[in-house]
Amino acid sequence: MKPANSILASSGTSVFEVMSRLAIEHRSINLGQGFPDGNGPEDVRAKAAHFLEDKPNQYPPMLGVPELRQAVAAHAKRFYGLEIDWEREVMVASGATEVLASCLFGLIEPGDEVVLLEPLYDSYLPIVRRAGAVPRLVRLAPPGWELPRDDLAAAFSAKTKLILLNSPMNPAAKLFTREELAFIAELVLRHDAYAVCDEVYEHLAFDGRTHIPLMTFPGMRRRCLKIGSAGKTFALTGWKVGYVTAAPELLQPIAKAHQFITFTTPPNLQRAVAYGLGKDDAYFRSLARELETKRDVFAKGLAEVGFDVLACHGTYFISADFRPLGFNGDDVEFCRHITTEAGVTAIPVSAFYEGAGPDHFVRFAFCKEDEVLRGALERLRRHFRRG
Ligand SMILES: Cc1ncc(COP(=O)(O)O)c(C=O)c1O
């Protein structure tokens, strides 16, 4: 038989899947996968149910229903002062993951170079490669996750088509600073490149910090593709409703890719998300505040167990160095160990790097009910006290 596509066939089973299976097998508390265990805001779900009955269920417009595209534009104006033409500059697709794929397939020509920052969300590299681009990887490293400016500048060249930037960044829980973003913007301009900005955690910024879209920097309005996700903004990850904002000339090729990948996204979910994006500022503040409280409790508990806990400025995730616990092995071994022996599952940070990465940090998702987090801490406490 002829082989399947080598890029996708060689990617194997992800560590997320391996750890989730192990968690089920050992009845472990799974803090590996990044989804909240609540059910999302009741009013947004009620709107989805209502629209399922009250509005058409046939193919909606390819770019998304007008209500949601208008809401995305209004949201960009409200939070970032961006003036967006909803008819020509907003597209809806099935989750940020599909938006990312559509952006990459729509923009990349075989042989182009794409600059990516490690640690990376797992869909980036396979799609970049499948679109025919050559990835240029730049490493951010724990514990500080500082942007290595010289490495980044060296990764850009005349061949650079785009940079893929994730801020707030998973799993580093980092918000890129104004200075770092200005540096990136300057490189994008100097090399006549684009920036695909994965901003799915835009509302999950803690301690009074605010997310700054790269699109708001001088010269970036026409070069950035700004991506959001209802999954993260409304803690409804199963809905897979994502949206992208970009200048019309950039949006057109992306819309072509979307047309051939999914074409549309369920219309009732789109309308409910439009309602959600119009919620008052208090909703968006409380979303971050609730998670911030969970982060505080969980970070304190991990430190009491003996982990060296890293700073967490946003997202659903917190990472920690397990070396102070005296474990003799790498991060993959540590994650297996705590799943099978303590009954708590995390993800090795090295999984977010290509090739050998930092091997003594693990990532926990803390977007869980308080009693789940308390239970996980109690299990870790008991296990490491005994060990
Ligand atoms: C950085 C990043 N981008 C994109 C996504 C996917 O978003 P969606 O569920 O809207 O496809 C995730 C989900 O975990 C993520 O962490």
Side-chain angles (χ1 to χ4, degrees), residues 36-246:
D37 50 10
N39 207 17
E42 203 179 332
D43 56 343
V44 179
R45 282 187 284 119
K47 288 283 178 194
H50 168 76
F51 291 133
L52 195 61
E53 292 297 337
D54 258 49
K55 294 274 185 186
N57 285 287
Q58 307 307 333
Y59 293 134
M62 189 266 285
L63 288 177
V65 300
E67 298 93 305
L68 180 51
R69 287 153 63 208
Q70 285 158 4
V72 170
H75 170 274
K77 169 87 178 147
R78 166 154 67 131
F79 288 99
Y80 310 120
L82 289 164
E83 296 288 347
I84 306 293
D85 174 351
W86 71 268
E87 283 184 281
R88 300 191 313 142
E89 297 189 308
V90 180
M91 186 186 87
V92 178
S94 294
T97 312
E98 195 227 307
V99 176
L100 279 158
S102 296
C103 287
L104 297 171
F105 286 134
L107 295 176
I108 288 171
E109 270 288 274
D112 283 345
E113 290 190 2
V114 169
V115 177
L116 302 118
L117 304 178
E118 290 179 299
L120 294 161
Y121 178 58
D122 60 350
S123 79
Y124 293 175
L125 269 180
I127 303 292
V128 162
R129 290 203 166 105
R130 201 63 195 90
V134 179
R136 297 293 308 265
L137 294 168
V138 176
R139 252 175 201 212
L140 276 65
W145 310 108
E146 294 87 7
L147 182 69
R149 295 188 184 203
D150 292 345
D151 293 356
L152 185 64
F156 272 82
S157 73
K159 290 191 191 150
T160 307
K161 184 59 147 298
L162 59 96
I163 178 171
L164 212 171
L165 178 69
N166 174 214
S167 183
M169 190 186 205
N170 167 18
K174 170 190 172 78
L175 269 75
F176 284 78
T177 64
R178 188 169 285 286
E179 292 69 32
E180 288 173 330
L181 292 168
F183 184 79
I184 295 169
E186 203 275 317
L187 287 173
V188 168
L189 273 181
R190 193 184 329 146
H191 294 279
D192 185 22
Y194 303 116
V196 174
C197 301
D198 179 346
E199 302 182 357
V200 298
Y201 298 105
E202 61 188 326
H203 288 293
L204 308 184
F206 307 144
D207 309 314
R209 289 180 181 80
T210 47
H211 162 66
I212 314 168
L214 188 66
M215 190 182 254
T216 59
F217 283 70
M220 289 296 100
R221 176 67 176 80
R222 309 198 71 72
R223 291 182 180 272
C224 285
L225 303 103
K226 181 184 179 328
I227 300 172
S229 166
K232 313 293 174 184
T233 297
F234 301 104
L236 291 162
T237 58
W239 278 21
K240 300 298 283 186
V241 177
Y243 24 88
V244 57
T245 305

Side-chain angles (χ1 to χ4, degrees), residues 111-387:
D112 283 345
E113 290 190 2
V114 169
V115 177
L116 302 118
L117 304 178
E118 290 179 299
L120 294 161
Y121 178 58
D122 60 350
S123 79
Y124 293 175
L125 269 180
I127 303 292
V128 162
R129 290 203 166 105
R130 201 63 195 90
V134 179
R136 297 293 308 265
L137 294 168
V138 176
R139 252 175 201 212
L140 276 65
W145 310 108
E146 294 87 7
L147 182 69
R149 295 188 184 203
D150 292 345
D151 293 356
L152 185 64
F156 272 82
S157 73
K159 290 191 191 150
T160 307
K161 184 59 147 298
L162 59 96
I163 178 171
L164 212 171
L165 178 69
N166 174 214
S167 183
M169 190 186 205
N170 167 18
K174 170 190 172 78
L175 269 75
F176 284 78
T177 64
R178 188 169 285 286
E179 292 69 32
E180 288 173 330
L181 292 168
F183 184 79
I184 295 169
E186 203 275 317
L187 287 173
V188 168
L189 273 181
R190 193 184 329 146
H191 294 279
D192 185 22
Y194 303 116
V196 174
C197 301
D198 179 346
E199 302 182 357
V200 298
Y201 298 105
E202 61 188 326
H203 288 293
L204 308 184
F206 307 144
D207 309 314
R209 289 180 181 80
T210 47
H211 162 66
I212 314 168
L214 188 66
M215 190 182 254
T216 59
F217 283 70
M220 289 296 100
R221 176 67 176 80
R222 309 198 71 72
R223 291 182 180 272
C224 285
L225 303 103
K226 181 184 179 328
I227 300 172
S229 166
K232 313 293 174 184
T233 297
F234 301 104
L236 291 162
T237 58
W239 278 21
K240 300 298 283 186
V241 177
Y243 24 88
V244 57
T245 305
E249 351 27 300
L250 289 183
L251 200 69
Q252 276 161 22
I254 292 162
K256 299 248 164 76
H258 165 65
Q259 180 173 13
F260 299 130
I261 297 175
T262 58
F263 178 49
T264 58
T265 298
N268 65 319
L269 300 184
Q270 291 194 48
R271 293 192 171 96
V273 171
Y275 160 82
L277 286 177
K279 279 165 85 83
D280 60 13
D281 290 356
Y283 166 77
F284 294 92
R285 272 197 304 272
S286 72
L287 185 71
R289 209 170 298 134
E290 275 172 30
L291 275 167
E292 200 177 296
T293 310
K294 289 182 190 297
R295 176 210 56 186
D296 289 344
V297 171
F298 197 63
K300 185 164 171 280
L302 285 180
E304 282 164 7
V305 171
F307 286 92
D308 210 343
V309 184
L310 304 192
C312 166
H313 298 157
T315 76
Y316 286 158
F317 308 107
I318 190 159
S319 294
D321 185 343
F322 56 80
R323 282 176 305 181
L325 294 167
F327 181 80
N328 233 343
D330 66 17
D331 56 351
V332 178
E333 287 159 345
F334 183 80
C335 287
R336 280 185 184 281
H337 173 82
I338 58 171
T339 300
T340 58
E341 305 304 318
V344 178
T345 299
I347 294 291
V349 165
S350 63
F352 298 89
Y353 289 81
E354 182 158 82
D359 65 358
H360 49 272
F361 294 89
V362 289
R363 185 199 82 170
F364 296 93
F366 59 83
C367 49
K368 306 290 177 184
E369 299 291 354
D370 293 346
E371 67 264 27
V372 174
L373 295 177
R374 273 198 299 271
L377 288 172
E378 186 44 40
R379 287 181 178 198
L380 289 170
R381 223 175 269 135
R382 238 185 293 138
H383 175 70
F384 285 105
R385 203 183 297 135
R386 221 181 33 216

Side-chain angles (χ1 to χ4, degrees), residues 4-14 126 129 354:
N5 174 260
S6 59
I7 293 168
L8 298 176
S10 67
S11 67
T13 314
S14 78
R129 290 203 166 105
E354 182 158 82

